[in-house]
Amino acid sequence: MTLEGVYGTRPDLLPRSMVRVARADNQGDRRLIWVGKPEVELLNVDQHLHYESESLNCYPRNSDGTIQWSAVPDGLVLGSMDSDSFQLSVIIQQFMPSVRSLVFLWGSLTVPSVAMGIEFSVSHLPGIMEIFPEFWIYSPSDRVVVESSFSGVVTVAHVPSEGRPLLGALKARVDEARPNLEGAGYTLEIFDSPEREEKNSFGVYVAREERGFFLTVWDSGEVQVSAIDFDVDPSPREKYLPDVHADRLVAEFEKLVDWVSGNAG
């Protein structure tokens, strides 16, 4: 049996508030088919594979298809908590601020993935959680995934940059810290290389008053730091770190921000 022959064959398993029976239009021998209600788009197999590729497939996975959170860099994880429909709706509105449409992916390929607007999604969470013990929500505009697991735990995280988990970890931490830093009077600039380049990189410049730093990471694991304190020496101090893992990279960023603030020598 091919994927095309299995995928989406059981839309009737979706909550009745999301689907309805309609008269078939040129569907062979089938006179009636299941379709999404207004504001619910049942995704075809190509759409499903596209969204799965740019979301779940960017993470390490367990044999049962769930995300292997122990192998995901801490800098990408936004939170983890017990699940209920109210809590999940709060998570969506808190961590998916740019959302226009949410994609729901299920534990079974026979149930078609669906795309819905945020208000419609939130209103249908109780019915979804009653039927599906395990599912994922993906916000393409925010690049954020929520996993509601069979164990009753909800985890929310940034999606790693595809093929660039180290760069993605720093990006996620910078995105998280940016509002607070800029609100506190820091200057912050981002430098992101085009993905078509042979050696991809991501850099951030942070400064306040007389102190500042450049932190640049390459997908090879190399990191370069240039820090300057104009009150002491107008020449930057350079530091090169080979084979850095994501947790150390995020810790280096935190240490440098602390130094710029004057809290570290």
Side-chain angles (χ1 to χ4, degrees), residues 52-215:
E52 184 182 50
S53 175
E54 68 176 40
S55 61
L56 300 185
N57 288 353
C58 295
Y59 295 96
R61 308 279 289 280
N62 295 309
S63 59
D64 62 358
T66 57
I67 297 173
Q68 188 180 357
W69 292 111
S70 61
V72 175
D74 290 341
L76 292 178
V77 179
L78 297 169
S80 182
M81 59 226 66
D82 292 337
S83 66
D84 60 60
S85 59
F86 172 76
Q87 185 66 42
L88 192 51
S89 69
V90 170
I91 290 170
I92 289 173
Q93 295 174 70
Q94 178 180 356
F95 294 109
M96 298 176 169
S98 303
V99 67
R100 294 184 295 273
S101 178
L102 292 174
V103 176
F104 286 74
L105 303 109
W106 320 106
S108 171
L109 283 173
T110 61
V111 183
S113 298
V114 303
M116 299 184 286
I118 184 169
E119 292 184 4
F120 199 82
S121 298
V122 168
S123 68
H124 285 76
L125 284 174
I128 289 171
M129 298 188 74
E130 183 177 343
I131 293 176
F132 298 104
E134 196 162 73
F135 60 92
W136 298 265
I137 307 172
Y138 171 50
S139 169
S141 55
D142 295 292
R143 297 279 293 160
V144 168
V145 162
V146 175
E147 179 181 79
S148 181
S149 71
F150 185 80
S151 63
V153 175
V154 170
T155 307
V156 55
H158 287 287
V159 176
S161 295
E162 188 173 357
R164 307 193 301 170
L166 195 61
L167 278 64
L170 182 58
K171 277 186 180 182
R173 183 64 189 101
V174 171
D175 287 345
E176 182 182 11
R178 186 168 198 161
N180 290 335
L181 291 176
E182 291 182 333
Y186 289 78
T187 298
L188 192 150
E189 295 180 41
I190 288 173
F191 307 89
D192 196 0
S193 70
E195 293 199 11
R196 64 178 179 272
E197 290 190 2
E198 183 176 342
K199 193 174 182 181
N200 296 304
S201 65
F202 175 78
V204 58
Y205 171 69
V206 178
R208 191 174 73 167
E209 297 178 352
E210 299 302 312
R211 288 185 174 184
F213 70 85
F214 282 98
L215 176 61

Side-chain angles (χ1 to χ4, degrees), residues 218-240:
W218 287 267
D219 52 9
S220 59
E222 304 162 89
V223 173
Q224 184 174 357
V225 178
S226 299
I228 190 166
D229 185 341
F230 287 101
D231 282 338
V232 177
D233 187 346
S235 300
R237 291 178 293 148
E238 305 283 347
K239 181 168 65 172
Y240 173 76

